[in-house]
């Protein structure tokens, strides 16, 4: 009896010690997991800053005196420019880690430039109805990505040489590597095709001095449709139910608005500027 008791105590101590070790191991594992979550959340907490911020030229200082009749419309479009930048900054945060090295340029900065071109053209048109139409505002449309690390330097890792070339030409288009014949009629048929109103029949007589510029922009409208059709093929199955509208048709409309405004401006330099061309910018998906 007296000899069995120590064994019982030893077994009890061993069981208690094992249980304590198990609890301690669990605490260590939980602590490590918690530490991992803390690191991840710390990373997530930095995502708002780590993508950088969109930096765009200020349009308002480049405007001439604004006629009273145009003030309200100009103010609305200046506010829209701010909204567009805010939306682009939010998209930077929401899409961290997505896409390839040119994702920011092609999916955020490029479409933002197209929207800004369309908006500054509306500002110029509003002023031009009762005063001299301001020229050169499109030069203020391109934006850059200010790195969070250096507090303002452009993130050159996101620069797309092709997209930069498009911006230099004022096309505001996407990566033109997708331009031209899709070469995949079966894929295009499966996802539908983009249908856009024809702009040329709605144009007035084109002055000889504007013919070359108008022809370039009419050709660009065709290129934009080809690029959008190619993107339909390349992104089959991506995104939610509104993906095509938000990621393809919406940006395409912005590009077309900018392009038809350039056409109207070219004609308006030596003849009556055609109005209402922006109504031809919206496209639909024929399935």
């Amino acid at each position: 009896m007296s000899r069995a008791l120590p064994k019982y105590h030893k077994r009890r101590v061993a069981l208690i010690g094992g249980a304590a070790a198990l609890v301690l191991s669990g605490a260590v594992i939980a602590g490590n997991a918690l530490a991992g979550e803390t690191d991840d959340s710390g990373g997530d907490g930095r995502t708002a800053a780590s993508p950088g911020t969109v930096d765009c030229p200020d349009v308002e200082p480049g405007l001439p005196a604004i006629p009273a009749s145009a003030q309200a419309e100009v103010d609305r479009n200046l506010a829209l420019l701010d909204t567009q930048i805010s939306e682009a900054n939010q998209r930077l945060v929401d899409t961290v880690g997505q896409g390839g090295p040119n994702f920011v340029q092609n999916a955020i900065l490029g479409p933002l430039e197209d929207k800004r071109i369309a908006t500054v053209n509306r500002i110029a048109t509003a002023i031009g109805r009762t005063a001299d139409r301001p020229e050169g505002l499109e030069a203020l449309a391109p934006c850059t990505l200010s790195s969070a690390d250096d507090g303002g330097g452009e993130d050159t890792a996101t620069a797309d040489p092709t997209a930069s070339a498009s911006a230099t030409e004022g096309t505001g288009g996407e990566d033109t590597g997708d331009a031209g014949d899709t070469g995949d009629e079966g894929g295009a048929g499966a996802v539908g095709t983009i249908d856009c109103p024809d702009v040329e029949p709605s144009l007035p007589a084109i002055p000889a001095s504007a013919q070359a510029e108008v022809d370039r922009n009419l050709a660009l409208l065709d290129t934009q449709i080809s690029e959008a059709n190619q993107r339909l093929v390349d992104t089959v199955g991506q995104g939610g139910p509104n993906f095509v509208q938000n990621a393809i048709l919406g940006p395409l409309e912005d590009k077309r608005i900018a392009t038809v405004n350039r056409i109207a401006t070219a004609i308006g330099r030596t003849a009556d500027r055609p109005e209402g061309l922006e109504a031809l910018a919206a496209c639909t998906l024929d399935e």
Side-chain angles (χ1 to χ4, degrees):
M1 187 72 155
S2 61
R3 291 170 60 188
L5 189 58
K7 289 183 182 179
Y8 171 77
H9 284 304
K10 287 179 183 178
R11 186 161 51 250
R12 187 177 179 188
V13 170
L15 289 173
I16 293 173
L22 183 59
V23 171
L24 181 58
S25 298
V28 171
I29 293 169
N32 288 339
L34 184 60
E37 289 179 2
T38 302
D39 289 342
D40 289 344
S41 64
D44 289 344
R46 290 190 299 269
T47 53
S50 61
T53 56
V54 173
D55 184 21
C56 303
D58 193 359
V59 172
E60 189 169 9
L63 299 180
I66 301 171
S69 59
Q71 188 69 58
E73 186 172 355
V74 169
D75 288 344
R76 280 197 304 272
N77 281 286
L78 288 173
L80 178 58
L81 290 171
D82 292 336
T83 299
Q84 291 164 351
I85 296 172
S86 297
E87 291 172 347
N89 276 317
Q90 185 59 49
R91 192 162 187 218
L92 276 176
V93 175
D94 294 342
T95 58
V96 170
Q98 293 186 20
N102 297 322
F103 177 82
V104 171
Q105 176 61 46
N106 294 339
I108 299 179
L109 293 182
L112 175 60
E113 180 179 349
D114 296 328
K115 292 177 183 179
R116 285 173 59 84
I117 288 174
T119 305
V120 298
N121 269 307
R122 285 194 292 271
I123 290 173
T125 299
I127 295 173
R129 290 192 186 103
T130 52
D132 290 339
R133 177 184 169 88
E135 299 293 339
L137 294 183
E138 290 184 5
L140 303 174
C143 302
T144 57
L145 183 65
S146 295
S147 170
D149 295 332
D150 59 20
E154 182 179 357
D155 188 352
T156 55
T158 61
D160 182 356
T162 308
S164 297
S166 297
T168 302
E169 294 169 2
T171 63
E174 289 186 34
D175 185 345
T176 53
D178 291 337
D181 188 3
T182 65
D184 188 354
E185 293 180 1
V191 298
T193 56
I194 295 199
D195 183 25
C196 302
D198 192 1
V199 172
E200 190 170 9
S202 298
L203 298 181
I206 301 171
S209 59
Q211 188 69 58
E213 186 172 355
V214 169
D215 287 345
R216 280 196 304 272
N217 281 286
L218 288 173
L220 178 59
L221 290 171
D222 292 335
T223 298
Q224 290 164 350
I225 296 172
S226 295
E227 290 173 348
N229 276 314
Q230 183 60 47
R231 193 162 187 219
L232 275 177
V233 175
D234 293 342
T235 59
V236 170
Q238 293 185 19
N242 298 321
F243 176 82
V244 170
Q245 178 60 48
N246 295 339
I248 299 178
L249 293 180
L252 175 60
E253 180 177 355
D254 293 329
K255 293 177 183 178
R256 285 174 58 85
I257 288 174
T259 305
V260 298
N261 269 308
R262 285 195 292 270
I263 290 173
T265 298
I267 295 172
R269 291 191 185 105
T270 53
D272 289 339
R273 177 184 169 86
E275 300 292 340
L277 293 183
E278 290 185 4
L280 304 174
C283 302
T284 57
L285 180 65
D286 288 343
E287 299 185 11

